[in-house]
């Protein structure tokens, strides 16, 4: 089984200036990863030519993730907000394609942040329709969409694997998958193992985020990695596993506050990334 092992850009940099892009992609290579996940909260700000060239020169793959905001929330009942969300998501699909990648994931179905009430029926329907609309355009660009369900403080639309699979059924497009992040699963799921099996049995297990319960160094929190990794092996998961970690050391103005990253869980990105890579090798075997 061959899995690509990725690292989230926020391990290295908070923005994507030419210097930051170079630092992030070269560090990804130096730390032994195959892929970098770009945090494209605002996809129009990326220099795609430069990014594509740096990726190519370093032989590193790219995935793109993002979380929508109040202003671009496709689960909103306001058609103008939904239209802005769709436009941003389409920009993100083009970004993935133009940097040579094939995966757009994250909280692309709602805002990434806390809601004060449950999603409405109209809001969920708008989200389903928007993802179906995007999936058709993504298919033309050779891009798969990953729905990353998140804990209750970061979305009210998808908090579990079960909800995500039901949503994917409603979307009814072949290029839409479930994106499992163990940090969120640790808060919301009954069983890590069952969640993996359900997503795999549905043929929709598409992408994995490895992060700790406190979002700091891998292997130092309370996530049951042995159970999770065993389940991935049981279902012959051959997709990407991306290490994701956040600290107040590396700040993205929107993402860090939406994720409530208020503490310094680490200071040395390279040490963190090397240790995580070693942890994945030792405990997962890739
Ligand atoms: C959010 C999360 C992230 C987020 C992505 C955006 O809690 O887990 O994966 O969607 O980082 O780039």
């Amino acid at each position: 089984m061959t899995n690509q092992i990725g690292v989230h850009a926020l391990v290295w940099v908070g923005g994507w200036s030419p210097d930051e892009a170079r630092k992030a992609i070269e560090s990804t290579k130096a730390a032994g990863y195959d892929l970098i996940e770009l945090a494209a909260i605002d996809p129009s700000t990326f220099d795609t030519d430069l990014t594509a060239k740096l990726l190519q020169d370093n032989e590193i793959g790219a995935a793109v993730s993002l979380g929508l905001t109040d202003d671009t929330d496709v689960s909103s009942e306001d058609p103008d907000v939904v239209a802005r969300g769709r436009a941003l998501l389409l920009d993100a699909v083009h970004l993935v394609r133009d940097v040579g990648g094939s995966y757009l994931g994250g909280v692309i179905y709602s805002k990434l942040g806390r809601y004060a009430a449950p999603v409405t029926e109209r809001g969920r329907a708008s989200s389903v329709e928007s993802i179906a609309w995007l999936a058709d355009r993504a298919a033309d660009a050779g891009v798969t969409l990953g729905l990353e369900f998140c804990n209750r403080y970061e979305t009210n639309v998808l908090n579990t694997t079960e909800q995500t699979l039901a949503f994917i059924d409603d979307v009814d497009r072949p290029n839409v998958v479930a994106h499992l992040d163990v940090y969120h699963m640790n808060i919301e799921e009954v069983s890590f193992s069952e969640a993996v099996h359900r997503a795999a049995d549905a043929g929709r297990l598409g992408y994995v985020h490895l992060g700790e319960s406190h979002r700091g160094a891998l292997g130092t929190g309370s996530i049951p990695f042995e159970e999770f990794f065993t389940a991935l092996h049981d279902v012959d998961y051959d997709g990407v596993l991306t290490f994701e970690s956040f600290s107040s050391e590396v700040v993205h103005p929107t993402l860090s506050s939406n994720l409530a990253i208020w503490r310094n869980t680490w200071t040395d990105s390279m040490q963190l990334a090397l240790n995580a890579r070693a942890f994945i090798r030792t405990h997962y075997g890739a």
Side-chain angles (χ1 to χ4, degrees):
M1 169 165 41
T2 49
N3 299 97
Q4 274 193 306
I5 308 299
V7 58
H8 192 272
L10 262 279
V11 165
W12 310 115
V13 293
W16 205 251
S17 67
D19 282 350
E20 287 171 315
R22 185 165 295 107
K23 176 182 171 185
I25 291 169
E26 288 177 357
S27 303
T28 296
K29 179 77 177 178
Y33 290 83
D34 310 305
L35 173 145
I36 183 166
E37 184 178 314
L38 310 177
I41 308 303
D42 187 353
S44 64
T45 60
F46 279 68
D47 181 336
T48 45
D49 290 348
L50 174 75
T51 306
K53 180 166 172 16
L54 286 167
L55 289 166
Q56 233 172 28
D57 290 352
N58 289 279
E59 296 177 315
I60 289 293
V64 171
S65 68
L66 61 87
L68 297 172
T69 63
D70 273 321
D71 200 45
T72 53
D73 180 355
V74 292
S75 73
S76 164
E77 293 192 6
D78 179 339
D80 293 337
V81 174
V82 173
R84 281 197 294 274
R86 288 187 181 196
L88 183 141
L89 290 170
L90 191 55
D91 275 354
V93 162
H94 294 154
L95 170 63
V96 182
R97 179 197 63 196
D98 294 346
V99 299
S102 59
Y103 183 79
L104 170 65
V107 191
I108 58 177
Y109 54 84
S110 83
K111 88 167 171 184
L112 171 53
R114 185 167 178 170
Y115 288 85
V119 66
T120 62
E121 214 172 295
R122 250 179 77 199
R124 185 184 180 281
S126 162
S127 177
V128 167
E129 277 164 33
S130 297
I131 294 299
W133 172 90
L134 187 69
D136 292 338
R137 283 145 187 87
D140 292 340
V143 170
T144 297
L145 302 180
L147 307 181
E148 179 182 6
F149 61 87
C150 282
N151 74 77
R152 65 193 68 191
Y153 305 109
E154 293 181 29
T155 180
N156 63 358
V157 177
L158 300 177
N159 298 137
T160 66
T161 304
E162 195 77 45
Q163 286 178 309
T164 307
L165 295 176
F167 187 100
I168 290 173
D169 276 348
D170 292 346
V171 171
D172 196 22
R173 295 294 187 281
N175 59 330
V176 179
V177 296
H179 173 146
L180 271 59
D181 179 323
V182 291
Y183 165 76
H184 300 294
M185 294 171 75
N186 188 49
I187 297 170
E188 303 293 349
E189 293 289 359
V190 172
S191 156
F192 281 73
S193 173
E194 234 172 76
V196 167
H197 280 275
R198 290 193 96 103
D201 290 351
R204 298 285 188 171
L205 177 58
Y207 197 90
V208 165
H209 268 168
L210 302 175
E212 258 308 344
S213 47
H214 46 55
R215 307 208 97 157
L218 209 58
T220 66
S222 56
I223 300 289
F225 279 109
E226 295 304 337
E227 176 189 343
F228 185 67
F229 287 156
T230 300
L232 291 180
H233 283 304
D234 286 349
V235 302
D236 290 326
Y237 177 66
D238 61 0
V240 175
L241 297 136
T242 290
F243 168 53
E244 183 174 67
S245 181
F246 303 97
S247 166
S248 55
E249 190 68 24
V250 176
V251 171
H252 181 293
T254 319
L255 188 58
S256 300
S257 25
N258 290 346
L259 300 186
I261 306 304
W262 316 133
R263 287 191 298 122
N264 206 288
T265 49
W266 43 262
T267 52
D268 185 335
S269 299
M270 185 52 84
Q271 204 49 59
L272 175 89
L274 286 168
N275 287 346
R277 189 67 194 85
F279 182 88
I280 296 164
R281 199 169 287 117
T282 306
H283 295 273
Y284 182 72

